[in-house]
Amino acid sequence: MRTSIVSIRRAAPVLALLIAVGLAGCGKSDKTVRAERRSITQAVYASGKIYPVGFHRASSKMPGIVQEILVKPGDLVKAGQPLLRIRATSSELAVESAETVYGLARENASDQGAVLRSVAAELEAARAKLELDSMTATRAKRLLAQQATSQSVYDAAKTQYEVSQRQFEKARDVYESTRRRLGAERRTAELNVSIQRSLRDEFIVTASQAGRVYDVLPKIGELVMPQQPLIEIGQSDSIEVELAIDESDIALVAIGQRVAYAIDAVKGRVFSGLVTSITPRVSGMDKTVSVTASIESQGVQLLPGMSLEANIVVSRRERALVLPREVVPADRVVTIRRDGSQQRVRLNVGIEDLRFVEILSGISETDEVVL
């Protein structure tokens, strides 16, 4: 994730290069001014930095000590190429622990395991008692038919047989459920061993895509943590700009809008580009929205990490009726002189730039706004 850049609301120098400045033509006599026709451009200010296209930071999934760095800034890498080696601080212990748990689970799940032998013994005891009670009930029934025993004796034997039958079924269910549970525990433990072994093997950090190495952040011997940025990689021949837009302005921004840039390291030149993507969320830290835009280098070597200021052109009007910004109050109500008399009118305004506000209705070119 790239570092957020806080947007600052101020008069950007880029826009000053895009529009004519000054109040020439704004008729002013006896402290009045008239609206005039001129082109007006509305833009959203942003600050940002240049990044290579596809810029990302490779990281480790587990904590460990950097043992070997296999690339240096400027190297071209392929997808899957090793970048650095990390010695795990606890992976061997995790593998050993997982193997111990698996060994116990495998033993328990076998027919000779203590747990399964115990429930199997209970099942056999229930089976033996069921067979005994079955023979007792059968003999009591035969004797009752020969009138050699009483009905109550037979009923007691039959009841005991039915109780033994339910106890046997319960013991059988316990045995089967225990066998399934122990088998599941064995498979889970075996899977955990595989996971721990694979995590141990993943301590060679590799490139997720081809590109150029722009920076190597850790040093050999340094302790690194999961998700900590380690290697910065991006495309070697393409750059783009990441801008931070204030949340109050983002509704004006759309993909495809033109962007004008002033780069700190290249004085006196204006670069251009287009908005290419808008992140659909507001940062909780600085209340800005990340916007990505293209940039035309115009033959100038633009390096990743360069800071810049930008104006995104959100609207433009040709021959719009405008007034200077300082003439239009916040409530849009002004005093005008019309046909020799003064009156108060409310202005309906449109877009605005650093110096002028578009007037949609309320006054005409012949009206004089009293200052």
Side-chain angles (χ1 to χ4, degrees), residues 40-43 252 257 312-317 351 358:
I40 183 172
T41 300
Q42 183 178 17
L252 300 172
Q257 289 173 337
I312 302 173
V313 179
V314 299
S315 186
R316 181 175 175 83
R317 302 276 195 277
I351 67 173
E358 179 186 21

Side-chain angles (χ1 to χ4, degrees), residues 271-298:
F271 298 83
S272 62
L274 298 174
V275 175
T276 56
S277 67
I278 302 173
T279 302
R281 66 179 295 273
V282 176
S283 169
M285 296 181 60
D286 52 28
K287 300 301 181 182
T288 63
V289 177
S290 178
V291 171
T292 302
S294 63
I295 183 171
E296 298 175 7
S297 66
Q298 302 177 14

Side-chain angles (χ1 to χ4, degrees), residues 26-34 337 368-371:
C26 291
K28 183 175 181 181
S29 177
D30 297 330
K31 296 184 179 180
T32 63
V33 64
R34 288 183 178 180
R337 186 178 297 160
E368 295 180 324
V369 178
V370 179
L371 302 181

Side-chain angles (χ1 to χ4, degrees), residues 8 36 52 79 82 115 132-133 157 160 219-220 268 278 353 355 371:
I8 306 172
E36 63 172 314
V115 176
L132 177 61
D133 291 340
Q160 182 59 48
K219 305 296 183 183
I220 293 178
I278 302 173
D353 61 18
R355 294 185 177 274
L371 302 181

Side-chain angles (χ1 to χ4, degrees), residues 54-66:
F55 178 83
H56 69 283
R57 295 183 174 97
S59 61
S60 171
K61 296 181 179 180
M62 298 290 288
I65 304 296
V66 178

Side-chain angles (χ1 to χ4, degrees), residues 30-248:
D30 297 330
K31 296 184 179 180
T32 63
V33 64
R34 288 183 178 180
E36 63 172 314
R37 295 285 177 180
R38 64 182 299 132
S39 298
I40 183 172
T41 300
Q42 183 178 17
V44 169
Y45 172 78
S47 60
K49 284 189 176 182
I50 297 173
Y51 289 95
V53 173
F55 178 83
H56 69 283
R57 295 183 174 97
S59 61
S60 171
K61 296 181 179 180
M62 298 290 288
I65 304 296
V66 178
Q67 281 190 304
E68 184 179 9
I69 298 174
L70 304 174
V71 294
K72 62 183 182 300
D75 285 354
L76 294 177
V77 296
K78 299 178 181 179
Q81 179 175 331
L83 302 175
L84 50 79
R85 301 179 188 276
I86 297 177
R87 177 173 57 82
T89 55
S90 60
S91 62
E92 292 298 335
L93 291 176
V95 172
E96 183 178 347
S97 176
E99 289 176 342
T100 300
V101 173
Y102 170 62
L104 179 61
R106 183 176 56 186
E107 179 182 345
N108 288 338
S110 69
D111 292 337
Q112 302 304 315
V115 176
L116 204 57
R117 282 206 320 269
S118 175
V119 293
E122 293 177 0
L123 176 61
E124 288 305 314
R127 188 196 308 276
K129 190 171 187 310
L130 175 62
E131 292 177 352
L132 177 61
D133 291 340
S134 175
M135 290 187 294
T136 300
T138 301
R139 183 169 61 253
K141 183 178 181 181
R142 186 173 60 252
L143 292 174
L144 179 64
Q146 298 172 356
Q147 296 183 348
T149 188
S150 64
Q151 181 68 41
S152 60
V153 171
Y154 167 70
D155 291 341
K158 180 180 179 184
T159 299
Q160 182 59 48
Y161 166 72
E162 292 172 349
V163 169
S164 296
Q165 189 172 36
R166 288 194 295 270
Q167 290 177 339
F168 169 75
E169 291 172 353
K170 179 180 179 181
R172 183 180 58 191
D173 292 342
V174 169
Y175 175 81
E176 292 297 333
S177 64
T178 301
R179 188 181 187 88
R180 288 193 299 270
R181 176 175 60 81
L182 294 177
E185 290 176 355
R186 180 189 61 79
R187 291 189 295 272
T188 300
E190 184 177 16
L191 177 61
N192 189 43
V193 170
S194 299
I195 292 173
Q196 294 302 327
R197 287 174 177 172
S198 66
L199 290 176
R200 178 184 59 189
D201 296 339
E202 284 179 357
F203 280 94
I204 298 177
V205 179
T206 60
S208 61
Q209 62 187 46
R212 182 184 298 277
V213 175
Y214 285 90
D215 201 2
V216 178
L217 303 177
K219 305 296 183 183
I220 293 178
E222 182 178 337
L223 172 65
V224 296
M225 303 304 293
Q227 307 309 315
Q228 176 183 336
L230 301 177
I231 309 287
E232 294 184 345
I233 300 176
Q235 291 187 16
S236 60
D237 55 357
S238 301
I239 58 174
E240 61 186 4
V241 175
E242 186 176 284
L243 303 170
I245 310 296
D246 191 273
E247 64 177 345
S248 60

